[in-house]
Each structure stands twice: as structure tokens, then as C-alpha cells.
Amino acid sequence: MQLKHFSPKWLLAGVLFALPLYTQAAQQSLDNVIAIVNKDVVVQSELDRLMHKVQADAAEQRQTLPPYHQLHKQILDRLIEDSLILQLAERQGLRIGDSQLDQALASIAAEKRLSVADMQAKAEREGLTPAEFRETVRKEMMISEMRRNQLRQRINITDQEVKQLAKQISEQGNKGQRFHIEHILLSLSSDADRGEQQRVAEKARQLLQQLKKGADFHQMAVAESADSKALDGGDWGWMTIEEMPSLMAEAISGAHKDQFIGPLRSGAGLHIIHVKDMQGQQAIEMQEVNARHILLKTSVILSDEKAEQMLKGYLRDIQSGKASFAKLAEKYSDDTGSALKGGELGWANPEMYVPEFRDMTKNLPIGQLSQPFKTVHGWHIVQVEGRRNLANTPEALENRAYQLIYNRRFAEEAQTWIDELRDEAFIKFVDGSGQE
């Protein structure tokens, strides 16, 4: 079993509330359809709700937004992309059960220093019933999980790449300068004709000129960018060179604060990059955890409910002294690699695990047994046996290098993947959306 997986920080579950809010199907039947997306539809209430959310967030943060018609287009594009991903999730049988949803809600609430009840109350003030709020979060979990699953299959990393980057990290003393990046992408297919290339290039030139004269980057990104971060004003947050997509990393090298870079051409289109801020060299903290687990994989025979109940039974047996963790793992765990070792996973950077498992190994007190929880691999119970700060060992440096390369490739592939989904889909704009 491959528990290991790297997920960019900008895709963590903590951003769920910046993503689209959905209404129930019963309400959708009363709405105007504004887009047909394969067998699904986007309705006016969905767009209105997300429009209200974006406008409220911008007002709270005192940020300007583009004209309504531009914001309308960006929000409709986001809803279409979410619909495509959710339809793919349905075809592949991806499900988020109630127990997994409850775990995610508790984790999000803890991160925001709120209770789940506080979050539900906030959602009610925004017009969502408790059931709609849960369904919204469930759908965003499915979108995130499907994106991770699909992109993971597209990313290949060689040992040579890992060793080369590990050597660079070692030579830099495990330190790296960080950059606060803003980004605008203007879509341009690789087979675009000369006229289209010239049109997009001229538009990029004009945007760059306006930005250099002081135009609001956030507003312009919301209005024009085809990047997945468009509704966030093109803000990619803080990154080291190693964490950036290759095109961006090469362009940023040697840049200074408040510099605009571009337009740069890639297979996705033309890019404009803004170095909003910089920080000097900063030590990169790395920690390893030594954990063990028992995994039960669900199937047509073993349901989620049954797997969870079985693990609760194992917990009772371990806590009462009736059975040892190691013996139960050897006998019952579906992770054959660790089962032979009594469930032992060995020392590893927790960032190498899928998000739910990563968070559990990061936060669980040493020696304490977790309650059953679900990941993409199945149902687990886990125990953290120890934590240690990483030394600059070859293994530690290679783990860090692998993670950085994965994050970079993930960012590079994300836009290409969604463009391919759109190219293969039937999308029809109706009811005055103005995009057909």
C-alpha cells in the first residue's frame, strides 16, 4: 500500500470556506439553468450564493473586485470546473461517508479555533441550512480528493531528480529564501492560430503595463486570470524556489520585491508573476514521526460502518490488554507491508502521508491510540510511538527533495488537467449567461 502522498499547502482543507457553496437538488429544480455541463446543470442560485460569498469576503478584507460581468464569468467557470470534477468522482465511485465528514469538520473547526456549531451558525447566517452546510463541505472534500487522486497518477519522479535536488538543499545549508507570489494566467492553447496568439499576447502586454502603473493585482486577477487561484486574487502565498512550478522558479531567481515578471509562455498560456514580498533565508523545520497502524480496506463485502466498528473492537481489546497492537496488525491489517512488522511504518516525515493520516500523526499525543478514521486507502487506527527533529541525513534530505518536486509537479499539472476535462466535456451556456 502507498500511504505516501504530498499535497500543496494551498490545497488544504482549511480553504473550504473560500470555495463554492451549493444548494440542495430540490432547490435547484426551481432555479434558472445557466449552464449545461455534461449531464449536470449549473443554476442561478449557485452562482448567486458564491457571488455573495466573494463580495462579502472582499468587503471584509477591503479588497476591490472587477466589474460584475467579469466576476460573473470567473464564478461561472469555477462552478463548471467543480461540476466536472464531481461528475468524475461519481463515475469513479468516490464517496465521503458521514464519519469522514465529521472528522473533517472537527479538524477545520480546530484549525479555525471555532466549534463545529460556530461554523454551522456562520453558514446559517449566509443562508445555508445545517444539511446544506454539511453537503457543501462533503462536495469540497470530494473535489479535493479527486484532484489529488488524478494528479498523483500524472506525476513521475526519478531517483536522479530526487538526489540532485537533495544535493542542492544540502549545499544551501537547508535554508531557502521565500517569496510571496501573485499570478495571472491568460489561457492560450498550444495549437492556437497566429491571430489568437497575437490577441492574447497584446492583452498580456496591456495588463502588465497597467499593473506596473499601479493597477490592483487582486482585482485584475479575479477579472482576467484562468488560474485556479483567480477568485483569491491570484495569491499563491509564500513559497520557496523549490516549491514553485519550474517556469515560475526560473523566472523568480534573482528577482526583487514588488517586481513584475512576464509575460511568460507555457503550454497553458501566458503568465504574469508579481513578487509581492520576500523574506531572507529561513531555516526549514523538518520532523519525523514513528507510527504504527492497522488498516481495513472497504469493499462490497466490508462496508464503512462495519470497518469502523471492527476497529473500535480492536481498540477495546488493546486498551483492555486482551490483545496487543502488533498481533492485531499482523492478523487483520490490510497493509501487508507494515502488517508483517506489527503495523510499524518506521520513521517518516508526516508530510509524506495523505492529509488525514498526516494530520493524525502530527497531532496525536505520543503513545495514545487514535479513534478509527478514514482516508482514501481505507479505515485506520494509528499510534505515534515517537517524534524527532530531522538531521541533515541523506534520507531526510531526499524525503524533503521528493516532497518539493511533487508539490512543484502538482501545481504544474493542475491547470493542464482541468483544461483537459473542459476540452472533453459538453458545456452549453444558456439563459443569458453571455458565454456561449
Side-chain angles (χ1 to χ4, degrees):
M1 184 200 70
Q2 291 294 321
L3 267 175
K4 297 182 179 181
H5 167 64
F6 307 92
S7 137
K9 56 191 174 187
W10 53 86
L11 291 176
L12 295 177
V15 302
L16 285 173
F17 290 101
L19 294 169
L21 298 173
Y22 295 85
T23 56
Q24 295 292 335
Q27 292 175 312
Q28 290 182 0
S29 64
L30 303 176
D31 289 335
N32 291 327
V33 174
I34 55 177
I36 301 170
V37 186
N38 290 334
K39 66 175 185 177
D40 195 11
V41 295
V42 177
V43 294
Q44 188 65 47
S45 67
E46 292 179 312
L47 189 144
D48 291 343
R49 194 180 298 278
L50 183 53
M51 177 74 76
H52 174 74
K53 174 66 177 174
V54 171
Q55 290 172 333
D57 288 347
E60 183 179 341
Q61 298 169 23
R62 298 182 179 180
Q63 294 172 329
T64 55
L65 289 172
Y68 178 87
H69 72 279
Q70 293 175 320
L71 183 58
H72 179 283
K73 178 183 183 301
Q74 287 285 25
I75 289 175
L76 182 53
D77 282 345
R78 172 68 67 86
L79 292 172
I80 288 169
E81 290 173 6
D82 287 352
S83 175
L84 289 171
I85 297 173
L86 286 169
Q87 290 180 64
L88 180 60
E90 181 182 355
R91 291 197 298 272
Q92 296 194 1
L94 179 64
R95 298 287 184 271
I96 301 294
D98 287 340
S99 295
Q100 191 176 0
L101 177 59
D102 290 338
Q103 292 166 10
L105 287 170
S107 176
I108 297 166
E111 182 178 330
K112 292 178 174 291
R113 298 182 180 179
L114 298 171
S115 68
V116 174
D118 291 334
M119 294 195 303
Q120 289 176 330
K122 182 178 185 294
E124 285 192 65
R125 291 194 295 271
E126 295 173 350
L128 286 176
T129 67
E132 289 169 346
F133 168 70
R134 287 178 63 86
E135 187 63 16
T136 295
V137 178
R138 191 193 308 272
K139 287 182 177 180
E140 290 308 333
M141 290 176 67
M142 290 177 66
I143 289 168
S144 295
E145 192 63 56
M146 180 54 59
R147 183 183 285 112
R148 286 194 295 266
N149 290 347
Q150 292 295 305
L151 295 181
R152 183 172 54 211
Q153 298 171 20
R154 300 167 67 107
I155 296 172
N156 295 307
I157 301 172
T158 66
D159 289 341
Q160 182 179 358
E161 291 175 300
V162 171
K163 292 182 183 301
Q164 184 176 352
L165 181 54
K167 181 181 179 182
Q168 292 177 12
I169 295 173
S170 178
E171 290 172 350
Q172 293 170 3
N174 201 30
K175 295 181 180 181
Q177 196 171 33
R178 299 205 310 159
F179 303 82
H180 189 176
I181 299 299
E182 294 179 316
H183 173 252
I184 291 174
L185 168 65
L186 300 181
S187 290
L188 181 62
S189 65
S190 57
D191 58 354
D193 60 32
R194 182 177 293 274
E196 178 66 4
Q197 292 180 34
Q198 291 175 344
R199 185 192 69 80
V200 177
E202 176 59 20
K203 184 175 183 179
R205 188 192 66 77
Q206 292 177 1
L207 292 182
L208 189 57
Q209 188 176 45
Q210 293 174 46
L211 289 167
K212 289 180 177 179
K213 289 181 177 179
D216 186 292
F217 197 102
H218 180 276
Q219 181 180 6
M220 195 166 288
V222 173
E224 304 290 354
S225 183
D227 185 336
S228 61
K229 304 295 287 183
L231 289 180
D232 299 319
D235 191 348
W236 280 43
W238 287 94
M239 293 183 291
T240 64
I241 290 263
E242 293 84 6
E243 291 171 316
M244 298 176 191
S246 301
L247 180 76
M248 187 180 292
E250 292 171 5
I252 290 298
S253 181
H256 56 77
K257 180 179 176 179
D258 207 30
Q259 181 174 346
F260 292 95
I261 302 168
L264 306 173
R265 180 69 191 268
S266 77
L270 297 182
H271 305 255
I272 297 173
I273 300 167
H274 179 217
V275 182
K276 186 175 182 179
D277 201 357
M278 298 169 62
Q279 289 180 344
Q281 294 207 337
Q282 182 178 30
I284 300 170
E285 295 182 4
M286 290 188 289
Q287 189 181 68
E288 283 187 330
V289 295
N290 186 17
R292 58 182 179 177
H293 79 137
I294 297 173
L295 167 68
L296 296 182
K297 295 182 179 180
T298 56
S299 65
V300 293
I301 299 173
L302 182 64
S303 67
D304 283 330
E305 292 76 13
K306 181 63 175 176
E308 184 178 11
Q309 289 304 313
M310 288 174 64
L311 287 174
K312 286 181 177 178
Y314 299 161
L315 276 177
R316 289 193 294 270
D317 289 346
I318 295 169
Q319 291 166 342
S320 67
K322 184 177 178 180
S324 71
F325 194 112
K327 292 297 183 183
L328 290 173
E330 290 174 9
K331 187 172 182 179
Y332 297 112
S333 181
D334 289 326
D335 179 6
T336 54
S338 67
L340 296 174
K341 305 172 186 176
E344 296 285 348
L345 294 167
W347 289 100
N349 184 338
E351 296 295 335
M352 299 172 63
Y353 297 128
V354 293
E356 300 86 354
F357 202 91
R358 173 202 63 207
D359 293 344
M360 189 63 72
T361 58
K362 274 187 169 183
N363 301 320
L364 192 67
I366 293 176
Q368 183 174 315
L369 292 164
S370 76
Q371 289 299 309
F373 64 100
K374 188 179 180 183
T375 74
V376 65
H377 301 292
W379 282 85
H380 312 252
I381 53 174
V382 66
Q383 183 178 42
V384 174
E385 298 182 290
R387 292 188 177 91
R388 69 185 183 188
N389 291 326
L390 290 179
N392 288 336
T393 62
E395 181 181 2
L397 290 172
E398 288 183 10
N399 285 341
R400 173 65 177 167
Y402 191 101
Q403 180 187 346
L404 291 172
I405 295 171
Y406 189 98
N407 289 350
R408 176 181 290 182
R409 298 280 172 80
F410 192 104
E412 292 170 345
E413 287 289 340
Q415 189 62 47
T416 302
W417 173 64
I418 199 67
D419 287 344
E420 291 173 1
L421 275 184
R422 291 189 70 126
D423 289 343
E424 295 167 0
F426 171 79
I427 300 173
K428 180 178 177 62
F429 298 100
V430 295
D431 198 35
S433 68
Q435 293 203 32
E436 186 166 16

